[in-house]
Amino acid sequence: MLIAITREISPSINQCELTFHEREPINYERACEQHKQYVNALRSLRLQVQVLPADPDLPDSVFVEDTALVLDECAIITRPGADSRKPETESITNVLEQYRKLFFVQPPARVDGGDILRVDKKIYVGLSTRSDNNAIEQMQNYLRPFGYEIEGVTVTGCLHLKSAVTQVAEDTLLINPEWADKNYFDGMKFVEIDPSEPYAANALLIGDTIIYPTAFPKTQKRLEAAGVKIVNVDADELAKAEGAVTCCSLIFKS
Ligand code: CIR
């Protein structure tokens, strides 16, 4: 059984952090509708979804992915790179301690879950504006006993590693090669995004199916040609907050 932790959208979402996007008004009602669609997509893939209540004081708290890395053996509570987001870890700690032994990234290290891409026992960590080598060292120390290997990946032009590359099948990554170098990912096959859709590399893989935004039809054709099964969701409102599909959940085995 897979569990997904999600969180309702904060009514202060319009005060979200922005790094690469110009601020545009986010329609809160529409964003909430789309978030419901996302939760329903998770349920349609038979996940047990736990929806945490919104927090008006934490504009970006819908993006729960950034607060933790959950593995079968343990979980690591991150220390998000943006100061406004650091308090988000408290409520997630309270939830995850019911399921896993927890480790905590200690200051001054910083890492966002959006920078963490796990492929089996290999964990890639984006060296973005949000995440640093100190966090990589701490994570390596926590996870070495469980057989994980961690590697830093240079990320350019986007917020997180998973804006640039995500897994879409056991042996396949969806990648924007302008933002992350394929050479880091030895032994993997690739589907490249259509160059006219630079934000198309974020897909959420569950079993053999991805949850994927409707906004990237050209890249979707490439994914279909590669045999990837897709459940579509509309996600363009939260995209204005630089969020995508992986960032709205933490998924793990119960
Ligand atoms: C931020 O800048 O932190 C948020 N506005 C967006 C975070 C998106 N998170 C993710 O892709 N993992």
Side-chain angles (χ1 to χ4, degrees):
M1 158 78 85
L2 287 177
I3 296 182
I5 307 294
T6 66
R7 192 166 193 180
E8 284 174 342
I9 300 171
S10 173
S12 62
I13 183 72
N14 274 290
Q15 273 82 60
C16 67
E17 294 284 338
L18 287 176
T19 309
F20 289 91
H21 287 197
E22 292 294 318
R23 196 167 293 279
E24 285 179 75
I26 297 169
N27 180 322
Y28 178 65
E29 282 72 33
R30 191 162 179 271
C32 290
E33 278 305 309
Q34 293 187 351
H35 191 257
K36 273 193 200 129
Q37 225 188 87
Y38 175 83
V39 167
N40 286 338
L42 292 170
R43 291 196 170 122
S44 77
L45 295 171
R46 294 202 206 89
L47 274 75
Q48 185 186 312
V49 185
Q50 190 172 343
V51 184
L52 305 179
D55 187 332
D57 294 330
L58 297 173
D60 278 307
S61 50
V62 63
F63 302 123
V64 289
E65 168 183 66
D66 291 316
T67 60
L69 166 67
V70 190
L71 302 168
D72 289 351
E73 303 87 349
C74 64
I76 294 182
I77 303 296
T78 64
R79 186 166 179 274
D83 285 344
S84 70
R85 303 203 55 194
K86 290 186 169 67
E88 290 177 29
T89 55
E90 197 181 315
S91 54
I92 298 296
T93 300
N94 293 338
V95 174
L96 289 181
E97 69 188 4
Q98 299 163 36
Y99 297 99
R100 294 289 188 276
K101 173 180 170 53
L102 299 184
F103 297 102
F104 293 84
V105 173
Q106 301 293 338
R110 307 173 326 136
V111 60
D112 281 5
D115 273 319
I116 306 175
L117 172 66
R118 184 184 69 80
V119 180
D120 196 18
K121 286 284 189 180
K122 181 90 191 204
I123 297 176
Y124 300 96
V125 181
L127 290 165
S128 67
T129 59
R130 298 289 175 83
S131 305
D132 61 24
N133 274 309
N134 187 339
I136 292 182
E137 271 169 42
Q138 291 186 31
M139 288 168 63
Q140 182 73 78
N141 289 338
Y142 291 139
L143 298 181
R144 196 178 287 117
F146 303 110
Y148 290 95
E149 190 197 331
I150 310 214
E151 186 179 353
V153 175
T154 304
V155 175
T156 42
C158 61
L159 182 60
H160 287 132
L161 177 63
K162 278 190 279 193
S163 325
V165 55
T166 54
Q167 191 173 13
V168 292
E170 204 180 335
D171 58 353
T172 310
L173 299 176
L174 174 63
I175 191 164
N176 177 340
E178 299 285 314
W179 290 348
D181 190 332
K182 283 181 179 174
N183 290 320
Y184 283 106
F185 308 100
D186 240 12
M188 298 298 284
K189 292 188 206 156
F190 296 95
V191 174
E192 284 192 20
I193 54 117
D194 186 280
S196 66
E197 298 173 339
Y199 291 96
N202 188 272
L204 175 59
L205 178 65
I206 295 166
D208 64 354
T209 303
I210 59 167
I211 294 182
Y212 194 65
T214 46
F216 310 116
K218 292 182 182 164
T219 303
Q220 176 148 336
K221 283 219 170 73
R222 295 182 180 205
L223 289 162
E224 284 164 352
V228 177
K229 282 199 252 167
I230 298 173
V231 172
N232 276 128
V233 290
D234 295 318
D236 51 302
E237 273 312 315
L238 284 182
K240 296 177 191 167
E242 294 190 44
V245 286
T246 62
C247 40
C248 292
S249 56
L250 283 165
I251 294 176
F252 53 88
K253 286 187 198 139
S254 65

